Every structure is written in structure tokens, then in C-alpha cells.
Amino acid sequence: MNFIIAVFATFFALFIIVPMFFGLVRAFGFYTIVEEGRCHVYVLFGKVLAVLDEPGIYFLWLKLGLAAPIVNWLGKCHVLDLRLDQTYLRSQPVNSEEGAPMGIGIWYEMFISDPVSYLFKNADPRGSLSANVSSATVRTLSNLPLAEMLENRHAMSLTVRTEVSPKSNEWGYKLGSVYIRKVHFRDVGMIKQIEAKVVNRLRQVTSAIKQDGANQVSIITSTAERQAAIEFAKAAAMRPRIVGEALQKISTDREILDTMFEILETQNIIAGEARVTFVPRKSDLLTQLLVADTAPQAAAKSPPSLKK
């Protein structure tokens, strides 16, 4: 039971009593905590008493003196964010030297450099800086050549930054980096015409590439066919020479030559599929066959009168 009471007492003390105590201490101006990237500006009866822009714990009695207990009640503490901020303005309307309606997208950084000027010299420093950047972009980048607009973005960014920085410093809102991120055409009809020209040009280039490829293939094919024809012609011319040289070597031996011609003759007879009749020696069968074969031919050649 005592343990449970101790737990509840500790919880009540740490999460309720201690935060309330430190809250009352801060409300009466004993101390304050400035976080990283923040700035506290204490104002009492229209007068700036202190500007705390470094992170840490500050005892307000040492900074503000006797006004510390009442500054949070009768005055005001402005907490400002000193961190770097970024903004992008889309499609700022400008015209090129040739009269083309263009749009410029500009990106810029800004941060609070003077908290007092930021609070009291301009009611809307952020909006005023945005309007100043927009007007400077239109004023300095209009009537530039179209090629320069599309290519020299770094030079245009420096021009806008140089134009805007002095005025923004007066408001305590310092301009950082400026960069032209996008340059585009605003006229839809002009965009369609450019797209059509680009598509036609791509088609022409594609056709030219295809035709060049077909020409190269034709050249390679014709060259290969010509070289093949030359080599085949050389081979056809070499064959008779090789055969003649072989026959010349064979003709030196009469027996081998006769045997070769007999073999060739036999091969021709076999390849011709002719009918061959073998007749024994000293037989009258061959004479009879020849007589029987020549008799119809002689009758066909005799005059018609003799046939009757």
C-alpha cells in the first residue's frame, strides 16, 4: 500500500506539480529557454527591452531588470523562427524580345536577419518579399532574347537577386539563394506548333536513319555477293586445272590410265541405266539380234514402190 501511494505521489509531483511550478516561474520572468533557430523579442509599452537570438537558458532578471516580472503580463514576447525558409513562385509572366509569351518559375530562400525590423518595419515581410521578387523578375527579365531566356538561367538568377536584396534587407528579411527553375511557353497554340514541329523532325530523322541503314545493308550484301561470285569463279577456274594436272600425272603410267578410263566408262554405263545384253563368245545370237534390229530400219528407208 505504501508503495502504491509513493508511486502516485511521485507521478503527481513529476507530471503536475513540477511543470506547474516551472510554468509559474517562467510566467513571472525568472528565466526563459531559447531553442535552436529561434529568437525571443521582449516588448513592453511599445519599447523593445531585449532580443535573445542565441540558444540557451536566460535569467530575465539579469537581462530585463525590474521589468522581468511584468513583461509577460503587460508586455509581449515575440518568438520568431530564424531558420532558412524556401518559396517557389510559379509561372511569372514575361515576354521575350521576339514577343513570345513566356512563364518563369523562380525559387528563392529567405531568413530573418533583423528581428526588430522584421516585426515593426513591415506588417507582412514575407508577402512583401514575395511581391518584390515577382515584380523584380518581371521587370528585369522581360524583353530578353528567347535563346538567352532558355539557356542563361544562372545569369538571370543573379540579376533578380541583385535587384531584390537591398529592399529586403530594410525589412529585416534577408534574401538567400535565388534560382530560375523553369522557363516555359504560356501560349497553348505555340506549344502545340512546337510539338508538331518536333514530331515531324523526329519522323524525318527516323526515316533518314532507316534509309541509311537499308543503304548500308544493300552495300554490304552486294559486296558480299560480288566477293562470293569472284571466289566461286576462281574455284570453277581452278577445277579444270587441278583435273588436268591429275590426268597428266596419271598419263605417265599407261596401265593406270587405261584402267581409269575403263572405270569411268563403266560408271557412265551404270549411271545411264541402259539395258546390257551379255552374249557368249562364238555365238550367232548377236548376229541375229543385229539383223532383227536393222530389218525394220531398212524397210522404212526403202521407196514406197518397192514396199508394194
Side-chain angles (χ1 to χ4, degrees), residues 86-255:
Q86 301 174 353
T87 301
Y88 180 64
L89 299 179
R90 299 179 180 274
S91 190
Q92 302 301 307
V94 297
N95 291 326
S96 67
E97 186 180 20
E98 295 81 3
M102 307 295 294
I104 293 180
I106 185 169
W107 168 89
Y108 62 94
E109 297 175 343
M110 65 280 191
F111 60 93
I112 298 174
S113 59
D114 187 352
V116 177
S117 298
Y118 175 81
L119 288 173
F120 301 108
K121 286 190 177 182
N122 194 321
D124 185 12
R126 186 185 182 93
S128 299
L129 180 63
S130 177
N132 195 9
V133 171
S134 177
S135 62
T137 301
V138 175
R139 184 173 61 256
T140 59
L141 303 184
S142 293
N143 298 324
L144 288 178
L146 182 59
E148 185 176 347
M149 274 190 183
L150 296 175
E151 297 175 2
N152 299 331
R153 298 187 182 183
H154 180 67
M156 293 192 298
S157 302
L158 292 178
T159 302
V160 174
R161 188 177 188 279
T162 304
E163 181 72 17
V164 176
S165 294
K167 192 65 178 177
S168 64
N169 292 337
E170 296 179 4
W171 303 330
Y173 213 37
K174 191 171 183 179
L175 186 67
S177 299
V178 177
Y179 182 64
I180 305 296
R181 292 186 59 183
K182 184 178 181 181
V183 179
H184 62 95
F185 293 96
R186 291 187 291 113
D187 190 354
V188 179
M190 183 179 293
I191 295 174
K192 296 296 183 182
Q193 292 178 2
I194 294 174
E195 290 177 352
K197 290 182 179 179
V198 171
V199 171
N200 293 334
R201 181 57 181 166
L202 289 176
R203 288 175 179 172
Q204 293 175 1
V205 172
T206 303
S207 301
I209 293 173
K210 289 182 179 179
Q211 186 62 40
D212 184 66
N215 294 338
Q216 293 293 332
V217 171
S218 300
I219 292 173
I220 294 172
T221 303
S222 61
T223 303
E225 291 177 352
R226 180 174 57 82
Q227 292 178 353
I230 293 173
E231 295 300 327
F232 281 126
K234 290 180 180 179
M238 290 175 65
R239 182 177 180 277
R241 182 173 62 82
I242 295 172
V243 173
E245 291 176 355
L247 292 175
Q248 185 178 4
K249 291 180 181 180
I250 293 172
S251 63
T252 56
D253 191 338
R254 185 69 182 178
E255 184 177 357

Side-chain angles (χ1 to χ4, degrees), residues 31-67:
Y31 80 96
T32 187
I33 298 175
V34 180
E35 299 179 359
E36 183 73 28
R38 298 292 192 276
C39 176
H40 292 193
V41 180
Y42 289 92
V43 180
L44 181 63
F45 304 131
K47 182 179 179 181
V48 178
L49 299 181
V51 178
L52 307 178
D53 54 0
E54 294 293 334
I57 299 176
Y58 293 89
F59 294 98
L60 296 181
W61 289 85
L62 300 177
K63 293 288 184 179
L64 305 180
L66 298 178

